[in-house]
Amino acid sequence: MSTIEQPFLKNALAGVMALEPYSPGMPIDELQRRLGLTDIIKLASNENPLGPSPLVKAALAEHAAKGNVSLYPDGGGFRLKAKIAEFHGIDTSRITLGNGSNDLLVFIARVFLGPGRKALFSEYCFAVYPLATLAQNAEAIVAKALPPDHPRMPYGHDLDALAAALTPEVSVVMIANPNNPTGTWVEAAALEAFVAKVPASTLVVLDEAYIEYFEPSLKPGSRAWLDRYPNLVITRTFSKTYGLAGLRAGYALSHPSVADLLNRVRQPFNLNMLALLAAEVALGDQAHVAKAVELNRSEMVRLKTEFTALGLKVLPSQANFLTFDLGREAAPIHKGLLERGVIVRPMASYDMPTYLRVSIGTTAENTRFLDALKAALAA
Ligand SMILES: *Cc1c(COP(=O)(O)O)cnc(C)c1O
């Protein structure tokens, strides 16, 4: 690339010039190319280690056999929306479909953020919130998280700090519950009390990408809040428990007037026909979701026990990953794991340079990870 500044760059939006691109988990192929390894496991992007439901695989295979891809997909997502509406017991006018829930966060930013507007979120929040905000040339207000030595929820969202940062200029506040990259969560009653405090002119986005993994007693039941708070938006995804990350499907539940606006900025065919089909079938197989959640629960107990035995501190998590402290620079251990064919997520870009985040895999994958971790620590 030329080192001479191109004249047109001065017309690029300042927010875009300022943003750091999202760094995704390293793809298996890339590590294969780089190190010539063959037996690689990826525990870096919180995907479902069981893959999608067998019913989804069958439906996709049947569709592929027909090769019927020449027609545009249903731009309105009629069938999927009907399934989602039935699943949640709500009207389809409250649903917006997204190419992953990331898409919905971008729609929300497009509709409600712009120059002079502010978005509020916590430290250690999902990396997409500042990205979507800056891309709109809006300002990011970052509330302090709970401190690293907090007895109950280190690095967790501090709802009081978020509430204190609410001003009339804040048009959107975004909270992931449970949160990624920490796994931490906010308690249901406290969260509803927070939502109730948010001015009616400010949108509250509850990003529930990991909601299915919550212990039943901790599930917030936020869907019922939609009737009480017209400024509430809930986002859900098929990427995590449903095992469809590669196809891209998510949705938002909101007041119909919000859904109407989000649908105006959506590209007409934002979900492809395979994503629509797979999501529809996946939603119908709740037994598969339950299986993934159960595997996650038992393996999380095991991984936590092993971390403790290794003297490593782990953040509390209600999600499908664990974020742990090596008590020293994590980069060499990250590298050591890569060399042993195990991809996890470094946390340096989140300003947590001594931490790594590992997605909970199958029993065999977790054993591989633990063996590699022990070897990397001893190296
Ligand atoms: C994974 C994740 C999502 C989902 O992203 P998709 O675009 O639906 O794949 C959303 N929010 C958080 C916090 C996540 O970790």
Side-chain angles (χ1 to χ4, degrees):
M1 224 188 331
S2 165
T3 50
I4 300 164
E5 182 103 333
Q6 298 295 338
F8 49 77
L9 291 179
K10 75 172 183 357
N11 288 328
L13 295 180
V16 175
M17 293 301 276
L19 65 78
E20 273 183 52
Y22 181 81
S23 71
M26 186 185 290
I28 287 178
D29 285 354
E30 187 182 333
L31 187 61
Q32 232 152 29
R33 277 195 305 273
R34 273 206 213 171
L35 299 183
L37 298 174
T38 47
D39 186 15
I40 292 170
I41 59 168
K42 182 181 175 221
L43 300 172
S45 301
N46 308 335
E47 293 128 331
N48 183 342
L50 299 177
S53 149
L55 300 178
V56 168
K57 287 188 205 169
L60 290 174
E62 193 187 330
H63 192 283
K66 287 192 204 131
N68 183 12
V69 294
S70 55
L71 300 182
Y72 278 100
D74 173 13
F78 180 83
R79 286 164 54 119
L80 177 56
K81 275 193 187 173
K83 282 264 157 61
I84 294 168
E86 187 193 344
F87 182 72
H88 288 294
I90 59 158
D91 196 80
T92 52
S93 63
R94 289 178 170 276
I95 302 169
T96 310
L97 299 179
N99 188 273
S101 55
N102 195 136
D103 211 19
L104 299 155
L105 300 172
V106 172
F107 299 162
I108 291 163
R110 269 202 220 146
V111 174
F112 293 97
L113 294 172
R117 305 283 179 83
K118 293 175 180 174
L120 170 63
F121 28 78
S122 174
E123 283 182 299
Y124 313 113
C125 69
F126 187 40
V128 169
Y129 308 161
L131 280 180
T133 303
L134 288 175
Q136 284 303 114
N137 243 10
E139 189 186 337
I141 308 290
V142 181
K144 279 262 174 230
L146 295 171
D149 61 355
H150 191 275
R152 202 171 35 78
M153 203 63 69
Y155 293 96
H157 282 17
D158 182 344
L159 291 174
D160 294 332
L162 281 162
L166 280 169
T167 61
E169 291 78 46
V170 173
S171 22
V172 181
V173 45
M174 303 189 201
I175 295 176
N177 190 41
N179 184 50
N180 175 21
T182 57
T184 54
W185 66 98
V186 286
E187 191 252 324
L191 181 58
E192 193 190 349
F194 172 82
V195 173
K197 255 188 260 178
V198 174
S201 54
T202 302
L203 220 59
V204 195
V205 179
L206 290 186
D207 176 344
E208 298 190 333
Y210 300 96
I211 193 83
E212 297 87 2
Y213 294 107
F214 255 124
E215 261 170 49
S217 66
L218 292 171
K219 271 199 187 148
S222 44
R223 193 180 50 213
W225 305 346
L226 285 168
D227 292 329
R228 269 169 268 165
Y229 310 102
N231 57 338
L232 177 65
V233 182
I234 295 171
T235 59
R236 298 278 185 106
T237 183
F238 289 99
S239 297
K240 306 289 157 59
T241 17
Y242 290 94
L244 304 184
L247 283 174
R248 318 301 301 129
Y251 60 94
L253 305 176
S254 68
H255 190 268
S257 64
V258 174
D260 174 38
L261 294 177
L262 300 184
N263 273 299
R264 292 183 199 192
V265 298
R266 189 174 68 80
Q267 33 155 324
F269 304 105
N270 63 330
L271 272 79
N272 68 65
M273 55 171 64
L274 293 179
L276 287 168
L277 171 68
E280 199 188 302
V281 176
L283 197 58
D285 191 356
Q286 289 300 314
H288 186 70
V289 172
K291 203 168 146 188
V293 168
E294 177 49 32
L295 171 70
N296 189 69
R297 195 199 57 74
S298 60
E299 285 298 307
M300 185 187 279
V301 170
R302 176 175 159 233
L303 280 172
K304 274 189 183 164
T305 308
E306 293 271 1
F307 280 129
T308 307
L310 289 167
L312 303 176
K313 267 193 302 186
V314 188
L315 297 186
S317 172
Q318 286 293 325
N320 64 342
F321 55 86
L322 288 168
T323 303
F324 58 100
D325 188 4
L326 289 152
R328 56 160 150 148
E329 197 64 38
I333 303 298
H334 178 241
K335 185 161 167 280
L337 287 168
L338 288 178
E339 286 161 0
R340 289 166 180 83
V342 179
I343 310 176
V344 300
R345 185 65 74 97
M347 296 285 288
S349 66
Y350 285 97
D351 214 13
M352 298 172 75
T354 65
Y355 282 79
L356 292 174
R357 189 194 71 193
V358 63
S359 308
I360 296 170
T362 60
T363 304
E365 285 172 335
N366 297 330
T367 301
R368 256 285 302 275
F369 159 71
L370 285 166
D371 290 346
L373 178 64
K374 286 171 198 168
L377 285 169

